[in-house]
Amino acid sequence: MKKTILAAVIGIAWAGASLAADPAIGVWKTQPDDGAYAYVEMVPCGAAICGTIQRTFRDEGEYMSENLGKKLVIDMVPDGNGDYAGKVWRPSNNKIYNGKMSVSGNNLKLSGCVAGGLICSKQSWQRVQ
């Protein structure tokens, strides 16, 4: 019994450490969409990665969007090679899409698709921190 508990604790700690080292973790600047962009904080959410809108900007500067604190990237599950699959919420039309994400250094590519992936919208994000 003690060995089983110890193995479970070690497994949980290992999973937590691997998520902490996940390249998607951090704050990312979105590409402008309908004249606005945001800073999205990516954090572990269970075995996946989720991204919440932390700050919002327009040409005139930072503003208090009604979308602050809302989840934009939903349950992106990593495949271990820098690619992820999950859901993406688009604030401008309030729709959730099947999403894919890939991280390469300080660049993150995000896509949301409908019709089984036949129609997709893509963005490139830059790491802020």
Side-chain angles (χ1 to χ4, degrees):
M1 179 71 164
K2 287 182 182 179
K3 287 183 181 180
T4 304
I5 293 171
L6 180 60
V9 168
I10 290 171
I12 291 168
W14 181 79
S18 66
L19 273 176
D22 192 292
I25 300 297
V27 178
W28 298 85
K29 177 184 174 186
T30 69
Q31 191 173 315
D33 187 10
D34 290 336
Y37 66 94
Y39 284 2
V40 175
E41 183 177 21
M42 305 287 250
V43 298
C45 57
I49 302 294
C50 294
T52 304
I53 299 171
Q54 298 297 313
R55 298 173 70 186
T56 51
F57 303 86
R58 290 189 185 125
D59 288 338
E60 307 83 45
E62 189 167 2
Y63 75 104
M64 298 298 293
S65 169
E66 61 192 26
N67 297 321
L68 287 171
K70 292 186 179 177
K71 205 179 281 187
L72 186 71
V73 176
I74 306 161
D75 297 329
M76 284 286 183
V77 178
D79 72 358
N81 295 318
D83 295 322
Y84 305 76
K87 302 281 184 189
V88 179
W89 173 60
R90 186 173 184 194
S92 64
N93 65 5
N94 196 30
K95 293 192 180 194
I96 295 177
Y97 298 93
N98 289 326
K100 292 193 180 201
M101 184 171 82
S102 65
V103 177
S104 177
N106 290 324
N107 299 304
L108 182 147
K109 294 191 183 289
L110 184 75
S111 65
C113 302
V114 295
L118 294 175
I119 303 169
C120 298
S121 179
K122 299 178 181 182
Q123 282 201 350
S124 294
W125 296 2
Q126 299 298 310
R127 185 181 300 277
V128 176
Q129 68 182 115

